[in-house]
Amino acid sequence: MVEDWVFSALIVAFLAFITPCESFYLPGSYMHTYQQGEVIGAKVNSLTSIETELPFSYYSLPYCRPQDGVKKSAENLGELLMGDQIDNSPYRFHVNVNESLYLCTTNPLDEADVKLLKQRSRDLYQVNMILDNLPVRRFTEQNGMTIQWTGYPVGYIPEGTSDVYIINHLKFKVLVHKYEQGKVKVVGTGEGMEFISEADSDAKSGYEIVGFEVVPCSVKRPEAMSKFNMYDKVDSVNCPVELEKSQLVREKEKITFTYEVEFVNSDIRWPSRWDAYLKMEGSKIHWFSIMNSLMVILFLAGIVFVIFLRTVRRDLTRYEELDKEAQAQMNEELSGWKLVVGDVFREPTSSKLLCVMIGDGIQILGMAIATIFFAAFGFMSPASRGMLLTGMIVLYMLLGIVAGYAAVRLWRTLKGTSEGWRSVSWSTACFFPGIVFIVLTVLNFMLWTRNSTGALPISLFFGLLSLWFCVSVPLTLLGGFFGTRAEPIEFPVRTNQIPREIPTKKYSLLFILGAGTLPFGTLFIELFFILSSIWLGRFYYVFGFLLVVLLLLIVVCAEVSVVLTYMHLCAEDWRWWWKAFFASGTVALYVFLYSINYLVFDLRSLSGPVSAMLYIGYSFIVSLAIMLATGTVGFLTSFSFVHYLFSSVKID
């Protein structure tokens, strides 16, 4: 009982660190109901742009501030890492009450304010507002199509002019759903479900907010309005207005901010309110990606089938039917994988680095599979901002014990002894996180110089270091200790003292580089949607497709590595260890090159060296993780294949 209580206390303490909220309530998990006339305030997130990808605080611009001051919302680890900074705002609504209100009038704009507003408008920065945990949406017409956006622009520049006009009037439409009393209902978003029975329906009755939309416009207000008090009533505005009546950004100009809100009854139920944001577009493309992957798998499976059931089995049968003298004569006459039987398990060069990379690869692969699995089955709601990234970090740290075990056991298998296991465990714990930490430190320094909210606070910086050295490293060392207690994998054949000479081959590197194109072919379509989600501010929630693609990618990597390993063995090249790793791991090279291609052709609006460095830095980290994960899949499959192949050869 005491042990259970201590274990529970440790879990609660750890959750309190990663989720610094007043309670363990996940945003969007439970239904909120509001009464007629109840006041509800909108919140604002960081300003974001697809041009620079540098988030900035909402109040870095001369916007109206709340009467009781700016208050930051509690944020979890994932939100902080993504650069979210959620603050309260002066925009408040009385539930189910339509009104048009005055907010404030700024002081005359100085040169710095004008320069900043113009720069943010030219860089296409968006204001991201949140009501009841729903991001605000707006709609635009382009080429006869209605396009949905989250957020609204800071300002705009009309065609044919260089003048900048600021968005200072917002027309909100809040969709509400009122349910009848005295009925049993079930609500939930995949994270939890709630039953509302007749007994407590009176306490639960009210209005559910199921939609939040805005029409932004620029309006030149009369100077007399500057004498108004906050939340005084003003006349409604028909948007858009003529350019002559819009608010120009220029020095010594006072800007008046107003807004109006309209509540509209909707048939949308609370559990379905995120459907409009997560509406899956291009599902046929996702299915095409999966079918394309299946065709590649079947093609490679046919090759593997031929290798196993025809070539290998036939050679083994012929080899085992001969006596020892005939086998010796056959070894002199024949070539191929049978001639490297005394060298195939010779220790590879840089064996410590190989063990470290395999350990890290298993850790990353396990994290990816577990995270996508939970997301695919609805355990990570999009309403819970940052929880996906937080979950990935927690899973990665906990899987350190698996990484340490795998790295040390492979080290024992290669060396035949446990000597040096602490060094292997430490290297495993520090190799990938160390590279990520160095890259993020450089990028964070760039963000600090730009005063971006994307820069990690110094407290979080040291908090991540503490998690690394106080949680991840000890778990990895513990896994390494368990690895020393595990039996090493026994090789089926002995290794000769003198290495066999390897025939000269000119195209080995080309085969390895070319092998990466097949796994990339199963991935690149889904990669486009993921990149669009990250860099173009779109929601990505088709984790079911992503889980299928990930599993197909693992199968393709395994098959490619086995085929390449067999080809090298047939060419009497016994140095298959690293080649098996990179045969599937080179998919990361194509992922990185595709990311650069996406930067050049799809993110042409991205401006500034800092933005480009951020993109390249994050792409490098992702590509490195993909290389370790896919390379590990290829290596482990090839190791199993080689072990099975030569365990069938009976030789003294």
Side-chain angles (χ1 to χ4, degrees):
M1 294 294 292
V2 175
E3 291 81 359
D4 293 341
W5 181 87
V6 172
F7 182 70
S8 300
L10 289 173
I11 293 178
V12 170
F14 185 67
L15 288 175
F17 177 82
I18 64 173
T19 312
C21 303
E22 296 177 1
S23 66
F24 293 117
Y25 156 72
L26 296 178
S29 301
Y30 301 102
M31 182 180 69
H32 293 263
T33 57
Y34 301 94
Q35 304 303 313
Q36 174 76 28
E38 183 179 348
V39 177
I40 178 173
K43 296 183 179 182
V44 286
N45 204 341
S46 301
L47 305 174
T48 55
S49 168
I50 61 174
E51 288 251 343
T52 66
E53 299 298 341
L54 300 176
F56 290 98
S57 170
Y58 173 82
Y59 292 107
S60 63
L61 296 180
Y63 285 132
C64 302
R65 293 174 176 260
Q67 291 177 324
D68 55 350
V70 178
K71 299 177 182 177
K72 298 183 183 298
S73 299
E75 294 159 337
N76 59 41
L77 179 60
E79 288 178 302
L80 292 172
L81 291 175
M82 292 190 298
D84 289 348
Q85 181 178 310
I86 301 176
D87 304 316
N88 62 333
S89 79
Y91 293 93
R92 71 181 191 186
F93 313 121
H94 293 84
V95 175
N96 213 32
V97 176
N98 299 338
E99 49 191 353
S100 182
L101 303 175
Y102 166 87
L103 271 185
C104 75
T105 300
T106 66
N107 295 324
L109 299 178
D110 57 22
E111 182 181 357
D113 291 333
V114 171
K115 182 179 179 181
L116 190 59
L117 282 171
K118 288 185 175 180
Q119 187 64 44
R120 296 289 181 264
S121 299
R122 291 192 182 101
D123 289 340
L124 304 180
Y125 269 88
Q126 303 278 322
V127 177
N128 299 294
M129 194 170 290
I130 304 166
L131 181 67
D132 192 37
N133 207 41
L134 280 179
V136 69
R137 295 188 298 157
R138 65 183 175 94
F139 301 92
T140 58
E141 296 288 336
Q142 292 184 7
N143 301 324
M145 297 178 60
T146 301
I147 300 178
Q148 172 183 294
W149 305 84
T150 54
Y152 61 88
V154 170
Y156 64 94
I157 305 174
E159 293 184 7
T161 178
S162 60
D163 294 331
V164 176
Y165 294 85
I166 189 172
I167 299 297
N168 64 332
H169 182 78
L170 302 174
K171 293 174 67 73
F172 293 108
K173 182 180 2 180
V174 181
L175 305 180
V176 293
H177 177 80
K178 184 177 182 180
Y179 55 86
E180 299 177 4
Q181 298 181 1
K183 292 186 177 181
V184 178
K185 302 165 72 77
V186 181
V187 296
T189 59
E191 298 174 45
M193 305 190 76
E194 182 177 4
F195 291 87
I196 304 175
S197 63
E198 294 185 10
D200 60 356
S201 62
D202 290 338
K204 295 285 187 178
S205 63
Y207 293 92
E208 310 162 355
I209 294 178
V210 295
F212 187 34
E213 302 173 5
V214 68
V215 177
C217 56
S218 179
V219 181
K220 175 68 175 176
R221 295 290 192 174
E223 291 217 9
M225 193 173 285
S226 61
K227 299 179 181 179
F228 283 26
N229 295 318
M230 186 175 283
Y231 304 123
D232 283 350
K233 295 186 181 298
V234 296
D235 295 333
S236 179
V237 175
N238 292 322
C239 296
V241 299
E242 295 83 357
L243 202 58
E244 296 78 13
K245 299 180 181 180
S246 300
Q247 178 62 62
L248 185 65
V249 176
R250 58 188 174 189
E251 289 188 45
K252 299 182 180 180
E253 188 81 13
K254 293 182 178 181
I255 299 177
T256 297
F257 290 90
T258 56
Y259 72 98
E260 55 188 284
V261 58
E262 176 189 9
F263 285 82
V264 179
N265 289 321
S266 172
D267 294 330
I268 299 173
R269 305 295 294 274
W270 193 87
S272 304
R273 65 181 192 157
W274 275 90
D275 291 354
Y277 299 87
L278 306 178
K279 187 182 297 182
M280 185 180 66
E281 298 179 357
S283 60
K284 293 182 179 179
I285 299 178
H286 291 280
W287 283 115
F288 172 78
S289 173
I290 291 175
M291 294 303 298
N292 176 61
S293 303
L294 287 174
M295 294 300 294
V296 174
I297 287 176
L298 291 175
F299 171 73
L300 291 173
I303 298 178
V304 174
F305 178 82
V306 170
I307 291 174
F308 269 107
L309 297 187
R310 295 192 59 184
T311 309
V312 175
R313 276 297 179 188
R314 183 190 61 199
D315 289 350
L316 286 175
T317 302
R318 291 177 56 196
Y319 194 80
E320 293 173 2
E321 288 176 351
L322 302 175
D323 55 24
K324 292 183 179 180
E325 294 182 0
Q327 286 180 4
Q329 183 179 359
M330 183 178 179
N331 287 340
E332 295 177 359
E333 296 176 354
L334 298 180
S335 62
W337 61 268
K338 299 170 290 297
L339 297 182
V340 297
V341 66
D343 298 274
V344 69
F345 291 108
R346 187 178 301 280
E347 180 183 344
T349 57
S350 304
S351 57
K352 180 180 177 181
L353 178 61
L354 179 64
C355 295
V356 169
M357 294 176 73
I358 295 302
D360 282 338
I362 291 176
Q363 189 175 7
I364 294 169
L365 184 65
M367 174 203 68
I369 294 175
T371 302
I372 296 174
F373 176 83
F374 285 123
F377 286 91
F379 290 99
M380 295 182 180
S381 167
S384 303
R385 291 178 180 83
M387 287 306 296
L388 186 68
L389 185 55
T390 303
M392 291 175 64
I393 293 174
V394 172
L395 285 170
Y396 181 82
M397 289 189 301
L398 295 179
L399 288 171
I401 191 170
V402 180
Y405 175 85
V408 171
R409 191 177 184 198
L410 179 60
W411 173 258
R412 286 197 67 198
T413 300
L414 295 177
K415 292 291 187 178
T417 177
S418 298
E419 186 178 352
W421 73 270
R422 291 182 182 85
S423 176
V424 174
S425 298
W426 267 102
S427 300
T428 303
C430 298
F431 178 71
F432 178 71
I435 295 175
V436 172
F437 185 79
I438 292 172
V439 174
L440 290 183
T441 301
V442 174
L443 298 180
N444 208 50
F445 179 77
M446 294 180 180
L447 293 173
W448 273 336
T449 60
R450 299 292 296 271
N451 295 321
S452 170
T453 60
L456 300 181
I458 192 67
S459 58
L460 178 62
F461 204 71
F462 285 104
L464 289 174
L465 276 177
S466 300
L467 283 177
W468 180 11
F469 285 102
C470 297
V471 179
S472 182
V473 171
L475 285 176
T476 308
L477 290 172
L478 180 62
F481 174 77
F482 290 150
T484 61
R485 295 295 182 267
E487 289 295 327
I489 302 172
E490 295 292 338
F491 294 142
V493 293
R494 291 199 301 264
T495 301
N496 297 333
Q497 293 183 352
I498 302 175
R500 180 183 179 84
E501 184 178 354
I502 300 173
T504 303
K505 301 293 180 183
K506 300 180 180 180
Y507 305 108
S508 178
L509 180 61
L510 293 179
F511 281 136
I512 294 175
L513 291 176
T517 59
L518 293 174
F520 179 72
T522 69
L523 180 67
F524 82 97
I525 295 179
E526 210 64 34
L527 185 63
F528 171 81
F529 287 98
I530 295 173
L531 290 175
S532 299
S533 169
I534 295 173
W535 299 105
L536 297 181
R538 300 172 184 171
F539 284 98
Y540 183 90
Y541 208 64
V542 285
F543 289 105
F545 281 112
L546 186 58
L547 179 61
V548 174
V549 170
L550 176 62
L551 297 177
L552 295 178
L553 176 65
I554 292 173
V555 175
V556 173
C557 288
E559 293 178 340
V560 164
S561 184
V562 166
V563 172
L564 263 291
T565 299
Y566 181 74
M567 289 176 59
H568 282 101
L569 293 178
C570 287
E572 302 177 29
D573 187 353
W574 45 265
R575 297 173 303 183
W576 60 271
W577 305 82
W578 282 107
K579 293 174 182 178
F581 182 91
F582 286 113
S584 54
T586 49
V587 64
L589 173 63
Y590 296 100
V591 169
F592 185 76
L593 293 177
Y594 182 81
S595 301
I596 301 301
N597 174 81
Y598 188 85
L599 171 65
V600 174
F601 295 102
D602 293 275
L603 290 180
R604 286 172 292 183
S605 58
L606 198 68
S607 60
V610 175
S611 303
M613 286 298 297
L614 283 174
Y615 180 90
I616 294 174
Y618 292 139
S619 298
F620 170 76
I621 292 174
V622 172
S623 300
L624 177 62
I626 291 175
M627 182 196 74
L628 293 173
T630 55
T632 297
V633 171
F635 173 83
L636 294 179
T637 309
S638 291
F639 183 85
S640 301
F641 167 74
V642 174
H643 192 279
Y644 169 78
L645 179 62
F646 284 92
S647 63
S648 303
V649 177
K650 296 178 175 57
I651 187 171
D652 293 332

